[in-house]
Amino acid sequence: MDILLEQIQNISTTQDAKELLYSHTKNNQNINQAIDFSENYHQDQFRKSGEPYIIHPICVASIVCAYGGDEQMVIAALLHDVVEDTPCEIEEIVEKFGKEIADLVSGLTKIIEIRDEELLPSTSDEKLIASALSFRKMLLASISDVRVLVIKLCDRLHNMLTLNALNIDKQKRISEETLVVYVPIAHRLGISTIKNRLEDLSFFYIFPNEYKKIDEHISGYQQKFQLELNGFISKVKTLMLKNGFI
């Protein structure tokens, strides 16, 4: 997973994003149709980094693939922003991709609507956290298909991986929202790799100085930590062998 996320952070062209997706899923007609459909609707849109917007849903779809998402989830990931951010109507999704995929896209769009209602802008950290908690509660109560939450977590992970394109205030606010809303959801769903990465990225933007100190400490004592870990593993193996577990 770390290799995939590193590859994603280095992607700057649509072709690179497509090649990454095709390396994790079958290059079939349904996937190609969804890419073309999304690319058409997002063709005049760009991210804050200046990259074509279509790179984002393709990268989200790649992350969904890496976590074992089915074809419907991958297609929904490719289409997840077209209803929210373009003139596309959900009826067109139903017509071209079927009701199941349309329902997933509707669920992802609904998350945005709930967020706009519950997550109120505020300069107060306490008020932001309170509204974020309310948002998380509404989110868990309103989304019936867990696949929607998995796709949303992958979406948030890609946004966090590319957060450096935003200003410092937005980086901090999005990171706080991630820590309060999405990390607990990832924990509840048992997706520890997403949970851990979201926590790590959030901490990096909320507490940059503390993050740097911890990172430097770990790097400086990495060999020592590894030796202690190896010693612990050896003791556990010896104990298990002695008691007939190996």
Side-chain angles (χ1 to χ4, degrees):
M1 183 56 64
D2 287 340
I3 294 175
L4 169 65
L5 299 184
E6 184 177 343
Q7 290 173 328
I8 284 175
Q9 286 181 297
N10 292 323
I11 284 176
S12 59
T13 70
T14 303
Q15 185 57 38
D16 287 343
K18 290 179 180 179
E19 289 177 1
L20 179 64
L21 176 59
Y22 291 143
S23 70
H24 287 86
T25 188
K26 295 179 180 179
N27 183 350
N28 63 36
Q29 183 178 352
N30 294 333
I31 299 292
N32 290 333
Q33 183 184 5
I35 291 175
D36 291 343
F37 185 88
S38 185
E39 190 169 14
N40 179 60
Y41 270 107
H42 289 301
Q43 62 180 330
D44 296 322
Q45 297 179 336
F46 297 88
R47 306 194 83 204
K48 292 292 185 181
S49 61
E51 298 170 350
Y53 191 87
I54 185 61
I55 289 176
H56 169 63
I58 295 175
C59 286
V60 174
S62 296
I63 299 173
V64 169
C65 284
Y67 280 98
D70 56 30
E71 185 176 290
Q72 287 72 30
M73 290 175 67
V74 174
I75 293 174
L78 290 166
L79 305 176
H80 78 272
D81 278 333
V82 292
V83 175
E84 176 65 23
D85 295 337
T86 79
C88 179
E89 299 289 343
I90 195 65
E91 290 75 18
E92 190 173 358
I93 304 292
V94 174
E95 180 183 347
K96 292 187 178 297
F97 300 98
K99 187 177 183 302
E100 182 179 359
I101 290 171
D103 286 343
L104 292 175
V105 175
S106 292
L108 291 159
T109 304
K110 187 176 183 179
I111 290 176
I112 303 299
E113 295 171 355
I114 296 172
R115 182 186 187 278
D116 291 342
E117 291 177 4
E118 299 292 335
L119 194 61
L120 304 176
S122 175
T123 55
S124 166
D125 289 342
E126 291 182 2
K127 289 182 179 179
L128 177 71
I129 291 172
S131 64
L133 288 169
S134 177
F135 169 42
R136 188 181 80 199
K137 183 178 179 180
M138 286 292 296
L139 188 59
L140 291 171
S142 303
I143 304 301
S144 58
D145 191 333
V146 70
R147 293 179 298 173
V148 172
L149 294 176
V150 174
I151 297 169
K152 185 60 184 177
L153 288 173
C154 294
D155 172 43
R156 177 50 59 119
L157 179 55
H158 184 251
N159 283 330
M160 290 298 295
L161 287 169
T162 55
L163 203 59
N164 60 322
L166 303 182
N167 64 53
I168 294 176
D169 289 339
K170 286 187 176 180
Q171 288 175 349
K172 187 172 183 292
R173 287 304 182 192
I174 291 172
S175 296
E176 288 171 340
E177 176 190 338
T178 299
L179 205 56
V180 175
V181 177
Y182 294 103
V183 166
I185 291 175
H187 176 69
R188 181 174 294 192
L189 295 179
I191 312 177
S192 61
T193 48
I194 290 183
K195 169 188 172 290
N196 294 341
R197 183 54 70 99
L198 289 178
E199 280 183 326
D200 190 59
L201 290 166
S202 297
F203 192 82
F204 174 82
Y205 286 107
I206 298 172
F207 305 107
N209 293 330
E210 290 80 359
Y211 185 97
K212 183 180 179 182
K213 290 178 182 178
I214 293 172
D215 187 54
E216 289 175 348
H217 179 76
I218 292 174
S219 298
Y221 289 89
Q222 186 172 8
Q223 186 174 4
K224 180 176 181 293
F225 292 152
Q226 189 61 54
L227 288 172
E228 290 179 353
L229 178 61
N230 291 343
F232 174 76
I233 292 173
S234 178
K235 289 179 181 178
V236 171
K237 283 185 175 179
T238 300
L239 187 61
M240 292 179 70
L241 182 63
K242 180 180 178 181
N243 288 275
F245 289 102
I246 300 180

Short mmCIF file of all heavy atoms in Angstrom, two decimals, residues 194-243:
data_model
loop_
_atom_site.label_atom_id
_atom_site.label_comp_id
_atom_site.label_asym_id
_atom_site.label_seq_id
_atom_site.Cartn_x
_atom_site.Cartn_y
_atom_site.Cartn_z
N ILE A 194 -5.73 2.67 6.30
CA ILE A 194 -6.26 4.00 6.00
C ILE A 194 -6.31 4.84 7.27
O ILE A 194 -5.93 6.01 7.27
CB ILE A 194 -7.66 3.91 5.36
CG1 ILE A 194 -7.57 3.35 3.95
CG2 ILE A 194 -8.34 5.28 5.33
CD1 ILE A 194 -8.88 3.30 3.19
N LYS A 195 -6.77 4.25 8.35
CA LYS A 195 -6.83 4.96 9.63
C LYS A 195 -5.46 5.50 10.02
O LYS A 195 -5.31 6.68 10.36
CB LYS A 195 -7.33 4.02 10.73
CG LYS A 195 -7.19 4.57 12.15
CD LYS A 195 -7.52 3.50 13.17
CE LYS A 195 -7.18 3.97 14.58
NZ LYS A 195 -5.72 4.06 14.81
N ASN A 196 -4.45 4.65 9.96
CA ASN A 196 -3.10 5.06 10.37
C ASN A 196 -2.54 6.15 9.47
O ASN A 196 -1.91 7.11 9.95
CB ASN A 196 -2.16 3.86 10.38
CG ASN A 196 -2.53 2.84 11.43
OD1 ASN A 196 -3.25 3.15 12.39
ND2 ASN A 196 -2.06 1.61 11.27
N ARG A 197 -2.76 6.02 8.17
CA ARG A 197 -2.23 7.03 7.25
C ARG A 197 -2.96 8.36 7.41
O ARG A 197 -2.33 9.42 7.38
CB ARG A 197 -2.32 6.53 5.81
CG ARG A 197 -1.71 7.48 4.77
CD ARG A 197 -0.30 7.85 5.10
NE ARG A 197 0.62 6.74 4.94
CZ ARG A 197 1.39 6.58 3.87
NH1 ARG A 197 1.35 7.46 2.89
NH2 ARG A 197 2.20 5.55 3.81
N LEU A 198 -4.28 8.33 7.60
CA LEU A 198 -5.03 9.57 7.82
C LEU A 198 -4.59 10.25 9.12
O LEU A 198 -4.46 11.48 9.17
CB LEU A 198 -6.53 9.28 7.87
CG LEU A 198 -7.20 8.91 6.55
CD1 LEU A 198 -8.68 8.62 6.77
CD2 LEU A 198 -7.03 10.00 5.50
N GLU A 199 -4.35 9.47 10.16
CA GLU A 199 -3.86 10.03 11.42
C GLU A 199 -2.50 10.68 11.24
O GLU A 199 -2.25 11.79 11.72
CB GLU A 199 -3.76 8.93 12.48
CG GLU A 199 -5.06 8.55 13.15
CD GLU A 199 -4.88 7.52 14.23
OE1 GLU A 199 -4.01 6.65 14.08
OE2 GLU A 199 -5.63 7.57 15.22
N ASP A 200 -1.62 9.98 10.54
CA ASP A 200 -0.26 10.47 10.33
C ASP A 200 -0.27 11.78 9.54
O ASP A 200 0.40 12.75 9.90
CB ASP A 200 0.56 9.41 9.60
CG ASP A 200 2.04 9.74 9.57
OD1 ASP A 200 2.63 9.89 10.65
OD2 ASP A 200 2.60 9.87 8.47
N LEU A 201 -1.05 11.82 8.46
CA LEU A 201 -1.11 13.02 7.63
C LEU A 201 -1.77 14.18 8.38
O LEU A 201 -1.33 15.33 8.26
CB LEU A 201 -1.89 12.72 6.35
CG LEU A 201 -1.18 11.80 5.34
CD1 LEU A 201 -2.16 11.30 4.29
CD2 LEU A 201 -0.02 12.53 4.67
N SER A 202 -2.81 13.88 9.15
CA SER A 202 -3.48 14.92 9.92
C SER A 202 -2.53 15.54 10.95
O SER A 202 -2.46 16.76 11.10
CB SER A 202 -4.71 14.35 10.63
OG SER A 202 -5.66 13.89 9.70
N PHE A 203 -1.80 14.67 11.65
CA PHE A 203 -0.85 15.14 12.65
C PHE A 203 0.23 16.02 12.01
O PHE A 203 0.66 17.02 12.58
CB PHE A 203 -0.20 13.94 13.34
CG PHE A 203 0.57 14.30 14.58
CD1 PHE A 203 -0.08 14.48 15.79
CD2 PHE A 203 1.94 14.45 14.54
CE1 PHE A 203 0.64 14.82 16.94
CE2 PHE A 203 2.67 14.78 15.67
CZ PHE A 203 2.02 14.97 16.88
N PHE A 204 0.65 15.64 10.81
CA PHE A 204 1.68 16.39 10.08
C PHE A 204 1.25 17.83 9.84
O PHE A 204 2.05 18.77 9.98
CB PHE A 204 1.97 15.69 8.75
CG PHE A 204 2.91 16.45 7.84
CD1 PHE A 204 4.28 16.38 8.03
CD2 PHE A 204 2.42 17.23 6.80
CE1 PHE A 204 5.15 17.09 7.21
CE2 PHE A 204 3.28 17.93 5.97
CZ PHE A 204 4.66 17.86 6.18
N TYR A 205 -0.03 18.03 9.49
CA TYR A 205 -0.50 19.38 9.18
C TYR A 205 -0.98 20.16 10.41
O TYR A 205 -0.89 21.38 10.44
CB TYR A 205 -1.63 19.31 8.15
CG TYR A 205 -1.15 18.99 6.76
CD1 TYR A 205 -1.37 17.73 6.19
CD2 TYR A 205 -0.44 19.92 6.02
CE1 TYR A 205 -0.91 17.43 4.92
CE2 TYR A 205 0.03 19.62 4.75
CZ TYR A 205 -0.21 18.38 4.21
OH TYR A 205 0.26 18.08 2.94
N ILE A 206 -1.49 19.47 11.41
CA ILE A 206 -1.99 20.16 12.61
C ILE A 206 -0.85 20.52 13.55
O ILE A 206 -0.83 21.61 14.13
CB ILE A 206 -3.02 19.28 13.35
CG1 ILE A 206 -4.23 19.01 12.44
CG2 ILE A 206 -3.49 19.97 14.63
CD1 ILE A 206 -5.20 17.99 13.02
N PHE A 207 0.11 19.62 13.71
CA PHE A 207 1.23 19.85 14.63
C PHE A 207 2.56 19.64 13.89
O PHE A 207 3.29 18.68 14.15
CB PHE A 207 1.15 18.89 15.82
CG PHE A 207 -0.15 18.94 16.58
CD1 PHE A 207 -1.07 17.90 16.46
CD2 PHE A 207 -0.46 20.02 17.37
CE1 PHE A 207 -2.26 17.94 17.16
CE2 PHE A 207 -1.64 20.07 18.07
CZ PHE A 207 -2.56 19.05 17.97
N PRO A 208 2.89 20.51 12.94
CA PRO A 208 4.09 20.29 12.11
C PRO A 208 5.39 20.25 12.90
O PRO A 208 6.27 19.44 12.59
CB PRO A 208 4.06 21.49 11.15
CG PRO A 208 3.20 22.52 11.82
CD PRO A 208 2.18 21.75 12.58
N ASN A 209 5.53 21.09 13.92
CA ASN A 209 6.78 21.11 14.70
C ASN A 209 6.94 19.82 15.50
O ASN A 209 8.03 19.23 15.55
CB ASN A 209 6.79 22.31 15.63
CG ASN A 209 6.85 23.63 14.88
OD1 ASN A 209 7.40 23.70 13.79
ND2 ASN A 209 6.28 24.68 15.46
N GLU A 210 5.85 19.40 16.15
CA GLU A 210 5.89 18.16 16.94
C GLU A 210 6.13 16.96 16.03
O GLU A 210 6.87 16.03 16.39
CB GLU A 210 4.58 17.98 17.71
CG GLU A 210 4.39 18.97 18.85
CD GLU A 210 3.90 20.32 18.38
OE1 GLU A 210 3.74 20.51 17.14
OE2 GLU A 210 3.68 21.20 19.24
N TYR A 211 5.51 16.97 14.86
CA TYR A 211 5.70 15.89 13.89
C TYR A 211 7.18 15.78 13.50
O TYR A 211 7.74 14.69 13.44
CB TYR A 211 4.84 16.14 12.65
CG TYR A 211 4.86 15.01 11.64
CD1 TYR A 211 3.85 14.04 11.63
CD2 TYR A 211 5.89 14.88 10.71
CE1 TYR A 211 3.87 13.00 10.71
CE2 TYR A 211 5.91 13.84 9.80
CZ TYR A 211 4.90 12.91 9.80
OH TYR A 211 4.92 11.88 8.90
N LYS A 212 7.78 16.93 13.24
CA LYS A 212 9.19 16.95 12.84
C LYS A 212 10.09 16.38 13.93
O LYS A 212 11.00 15.60 13.66
CB LYS A 212 9.62 18.38 12.51
CG LYS A 212 11.05 18.49 12.01
CD LYS A 212 11.41 19.93 11.69
CE LYS A 212 12.86 20.03 11.22
NZ LYS A 212 13.25 21.44 10.94
N LYS A 213 9.81 16.76 15.18
CA LYS A 213 10.61 16.26 16.31
C LYS A 213 10.51 14.75 16.43
O LYS A 213 11.51 14.05 16.62
CB LYS A 213 10.16 16.93 17.60
CG LYS A 213 10.51 18.40 17.70
CD LYS A 213 9.97 19.00 19.00
CE LYS A 213 10.28 20.49 19.09
NZ LYS A 213 9.72 21.10 20.32
N ILE A 214 9.28 14.24 16.34
CA ILE A 214 9.07 12.80 16.46
C ILE A 214 9.72 12.06 15.31
O ILE A 214 10.37 11.02 15.49
CB ILE A 214 7.56 12.48 16.51
CG1 ILE A 214 6.94 13.03 17.80
CG2 ILE A 214 7.32 10.97 16.43
CD1 ILE A 214 5.43 12.94 17.85
N ASP A 215 9.56 12.61 14.10
CA ASP A 215 10.15 11.98 12.91
C ASP A 215 11.67 11.92 13.02
O ASP A 215 12.29 10.90 12.70
CB ASP A 215 9.73 12.76 11.66
CG ASP A 215 10.15 12.07 10.38
OD1 ASP A 215 9.81 10.89 10.20
OD2 ASP A 215 10.82 12.71 9.54
N GLU A 216 12.28 13.01 13.49
CA GLU A 216 13.74 13.05 13.65
C GLU A 216 14.19 12.07 14.73
O GLU A 216 15.24 11.43 14.59
CB GLU A 216 14.19 14.47 13.98
CG GLU A 216 14.06 15.44 12.81
CD GLU A 216 14.41 16.87 13.20
OE1 GLU A 216 14.53 17.14 14.42
OE2 GLU A 216 14.56 17.71 12.28
N HIS A 217 13.40 11.97 15.79
CA HIS A 217 13.76 11.04 16.88
C HIS A 217 13.71 9.59 16.39
O HIS A 217 14.64 8.81 16.65
CB HIS A 217 12.79 11.22 18.05
CG HIS A 217 13.07 10.31 19.19
ND1 HIS A 217 14.11 10.50 20.08
CD2 HIS A 217 12.45 9.15 19.59
CE1 HIS A 217 14.12 9.52 20.97
NE2 HIS A 217 13.12 8.70 20.71
N ILE A 218 12.65 9.26 15.67
CA ILE A 218 12.51 7.89 15.16
C ILE A 218 13.62 7.57 14.17
O ILE A 218 14.22 6.49 14.20
CB ILE A 218 11.13 7.70 14.50
CG1 ILE A 218 10.03 7.76 15.57
CG2 ILE A 218 11.06 6.36 13.75
CD1 ILE A 218 8.63 7.72 15.01
N SER A 219 13.92 8.54 13.28
CA SER A 219 14.98 8.33 12.29
C SER A 219 16.33 8.15 12.97
O SER A 219 17.15 7.30 12.57
CB SER A 219 15.04 9.51 11.32
OG SER A 219 13.83 9.64 10.60
N GLY A 220 16.58 8.93 14.03
CA GLY A 220 17.86 8.86 14.71
C GLY A 220 18.07 7.58 15.50
O GLY A 220 19.21 7.15 15.70
N TYR A 221 16.97 7.00 15.96
CA TYR A 221 17.08 5.78 16.78
C TYR A 221 16.48 4.55 16.07
O TYR A 221 16.18 3.56 16.72
CB TYR A 221 16.35 5.99 18.11
CG TYR A 221 17.06 6.94 19.03
CD1 TYR A 221 16.80 8.30 18.97
CD2 TYR A 221 17.99 6.49 19.96
CE1 TYR A 221 17.44 9.20 19.82
CE2 TYR A 221 18.64 7.38 20.82
CZ TYR A 221 18.36 8.74 20.73
OH TYR A 221 19.00 9.61 21.57
N GLN A 222 16.37 4.64 14.76
CA GLN A 222 15.73 3.56 14.00
C GLN A 222 16.42 2.22 14.19
O GLN A 222 15.78 1.19 14.39
CB GLN A 222 15.67 3.92 12.51
CG GLN A 222 14.89 2.93 11.67
CD GLN A 222 14.70 3.42 10.24
OE1 GLN A 222 15.27 4.43 9.84
NE2 GLN A 222 13.91 2.70 9.47
N GLN A 223 17.74 2.22 14.12
CA GLN A 223 18.50 0.97 14.27
C GLN A 223 18.31 0.39 15.67
O GLN A 223 18.11 -0.83 15.83
CB GLN A 223 19.98 1.20 13.99
CG GLN A 223 20.80 -0.08 13.98
CD GLN A 223 22.25 0.17 13.58
OE1 GLN A 223 22.65 1.30 13.36
NE2 GLN A 223 23.02 -0.89 13.46
N LYS A 224 18.33 1.25 16.68
CA LYS A 224 18.15 0.81 18.06
C LYS A 224 16.76 0.21 18.25
O LYS A 224 16.61 -0.85 18.87
CB LYS A 224 18.34 2.00 19.01
CG LYS A 224 18.16 1.66 20.48
CD LYS A 224 18.46 2.90 21.34
CE LYS A 224 18.32 2.60 22.83
NZ LYS A 224 16.92 2.33 23.20
N PHE A 225 15.74 0.89 17.70
CA PHE A 225 14.37 0.39 17.81
C PHE A 225 14.22 -0.97 17.13
O PHE A 225 13.54 -1.86 17.63
CB PHE A 225 13.39 1.38 17.18
CG PHE A 225 13.26 2.68 17.93
CD1 PHE A 225 12.92 3.84 17.28
CD2 PHE A 225 13.48 2.73 19.30
CE1 PHE A 225 12.79 5.03 17.97
CE2 PHE A 225 13.37 3.91 20.01
CZ PHE A 225 13.02 5.08 19.34
N GLN A 226 14.87 -1.13 15.97
CA GLN A 226 14.78 -2.38 15.23
C GLN A 226 15.43 -3.52 16.00
O GLN A 226 14.89 -4.64 16.04
CB GLN A 226 15.42 -2.23 13.85
CG GLN A 226 15.18 -3.42 12.93
CD GLN A 226 13.73 -3.65 12.63
OE1 GLN A 226 13.03 -2.74 12.18
NE2 GLN A 226 13.22 -4.86 12.87
N LEU A 227 16.56 -3.25 16.63
CA LEU A 227 17.24 -4.28 17.42
C LEU A 227 16.38 -4.70 18.61
O LEU A 227 16.29 -5.89 18.93
CB LEU A 227 18.59 -3.75 17.91
CG LEU A 227 19.69 -3.59 16.86
CD1 LEU A 227 20.90 -2.88 17.45
CD2 LEU A 227 20.09 -4.96 16.30
N GLU A 228 15.74 -3.73 19.26
CA GLU A 228 14.87 -4.05 20.40
C GLU A 228 13.66 -4.85 19.94
O GLU A 228 13.23 -5.79 20.63
CB GLU A 228 14.43 -2.75 21.08
CG GLU A 228 15.55 -2.04 21.82
CD GLU A 228 15.09 -0.74 22.46
OE1 GLU A 228 13.94 -0.33 22.21
OE2 GLU A 228 15.89 -0.14 23.21
N LEU A 229 13.12 -4.49 18.78
CA LEU A 229 11.97 -5.23 18.24
C LEU A 229 12.37 -6.65 17.90
O LEU A 229 11.63 -7.61 18.20
CB LEU A 229 11.43 -4.51 17.00
CG LEU A 229 10.25 -5.20 16.28
CD1 LEU A 229 9.06 -5.31 17.21
CD2 LEU A 229 9.87 -4.42 15.02
N ASN A 230 13.52 -6.81 17.26
CA ASN A 230 14.00 -8.16 16.92
C ASN A 230 14.20 -9.01 18.18
O ASN A 230 13.89 -10.20 18.20
CB ASN A 230 15.31 -8.07 16.15
CG ASN A 230 15.13 -7.49 14.76
OD1 ASN A 230 14.02 -7.44 14.25
ND2 ASN A 230 16.22 -7.03 14.16
N GLY A 231 14.71 -8.37 19.25
CA GLY A 231 14.90 -9.10 20.51
C GLY A 231 13.58 -9.53 21.11
O GLY A 231 13.44 -10.65 21.61
N PHE A 232 12.58 -8.65 21.03
CA PHE A 232 11.25 -8.97 21.55
C PHE A 232 10.63 -10.13 20.77
O PHE A 232 10.08 -11.07 21.35
CB PHE A 232 10.36 -7.73 21.47
CG PHE A 232 8.93 -7.99 21.84
CD1 PHE A 232 8.54 -8.13 23.17
CD2 PHE A 232 7.95 -8.09 20.85
CE1 PHE A 232 7.22 -8.38 23.51
CE2 PHE A 232 6.62 -8.34 21.19
CZ PHE A 232 6.26 -8.49 22.52
N ILE A 233 10.75 -10.08 19.43
CA ILE A 233 10.21 -11.15 18.58
C ILE A 233 10.87 -12.48 18.90
O ILE A 233 10.21 -13.52 18.98
CB ILE A 233 10.41 -10.79 17.09
CG1 ILE A 233 9.53 -9.59 16.71
CG2 ILE A 233 10.08 -11.99 16.19
CD1 ILE A 233 9.78 -9.06 15.31
N SER A 234 12.18 -12.44 19.10
CA SER A 234 12.92 -13.66 19.42
C SER A 234 12.45 -14.27 20.74
O SER A 234 12.26 -15.49 20.85
CB SER A 234 14.42 -13.35 19.48
OG SER A 234 15.14 -14.51 19.82
N LYS A 235 12.22 -13.43 21.75
CA LYS A 235 11.75 -13.92 23.05
C LYS A 235 10.36 -14.55 22.94
O LYS A 235 10.09 -15.60 23.54
CB LYS A 235 11.74 -12.77 24.06
CG LYS A 235 13.12 -12.31 24.49
CD LYS A 235 13.02 -11.16 25.48
CE LYS A 235 14.40 -10.67 25.90
NZ LYS A 235 14.32 -9.52 26.83
N VAL A 236 9.49 -13.90 22.16
CA VAL A 236 8.13 -14.41 21.99
C VAL A 236 8.15 -15.76 21.27
O VAL A 236 7.45 -16.70 21.66
CB VAL A 236 7.25 -13.40 21.22
CG1 VAL A 236 5.90 -14.02 20.85
CG2 VAL A 236 7.03 -12.14 22.05
N LYS A 237 8.97 -15.87 20.23
CA LYS A 237 9.08 -17.12 19.49
C LYS A 237 9.60 -18.24 20.38
O LYS A 237 9.11 -19.38 20.32
CB LYS A 237 10.00 -16.94 18.28
CG LYS A 237 9.36 -16.20 17.11
CD LYS A 237 10.32 -16.18 15.92
CE LYS A 237 9.65 -15.55 14.71
NZ LYS A 237 10.56 -15.50 13.53
N THR A 238 10.60 -17.92 21.19
CA THR A 238 11.16 -18.92 22.11
C THR A 238 10.11 -19.39 23.10
O THR A 238 9.98 -20.59 23.37
CB THR A 238 12.36 -18.32 22.87
OG1 THR A 238 13.36 -17.93 21.93
CG2 THR A 238 12.96 -19.35 23.83
N LEU A 239 9.34 -18.45 23.64
CA LEU A 239 8.30 -18.78 24.61
C LEU A 239 7.20 -19.63 23.96
O LEU A 239 6.71 -20.59 24.56
CB LEU A 239 7.71 -17.50 25.19
CG LEU A 239 6.72 -17.65 26.34
CD1 LEU A 239 7.39 -18.34 27.53
CD2 LEU A 239 6.17 -16.29 26.77
N MET A 240 6.82 -19.27 22.74
CA MET A 240 5.78 -20.03 22.03
C MET A 240 6.26 -21.45 21.72
O MET A 240 5.51 -22.42 21.83
CB MET A 240 5.38 -19.29 20.75
CG MET A 240 4.65 -17.99 21.00
SD MET A 240 4.20 -17.12 19.47
CE MET A 240 2.91 -18.22 18.84
N LEU A 241 7.53 -21.57 21.32
CA LEU A 241 8.12 -22.88 21.02
C LEU A 241 8.16 -23.75 22.27
O LEU A 241 7.82 -24.94 22.24
CB LEU A 241 9.51 -22.69 20.45
CG LEU A 241 10.27 -23.97 20.03
CD1 LEU A 241 9.52 -24.67 18.90
CD2 LEU A 241 11.69 -23.63 19.58
N LYS A 242 8.52 -23.13 23.39
CA LYS A 242 8.61 -23.85 24.65
C LYS A 242 7.25 -24.39 25.08
O LYS A 242 7.15 -25.47 25.69
CB LYS A 242 9.17 -22.91 25.72
CG LYS A 242 9.31 -23.55 27.09
CD LYS A 242 9.88 -22.55 28.09
CE LYS A 242 9.98 -23.17 29.48
NZ LYS A 242 10.53 -22.18 30.47
N ASN A 243 6.19 -23.66 24.75
CA ASN A 243 4.84 -24.05 25.18
C ASN A 243 4.05 -24.77 24.08
O ASN A 243 2.84 -24.94 24.21
CB ASN A 243 4.08 -22.83 25.66
CG ASN A 243 4.58 -22.30 26.99
OD1 ASN A 243 4.16 -22.78 28.05
ND2 ASN A 243 5.49 -21.34 26.95
#
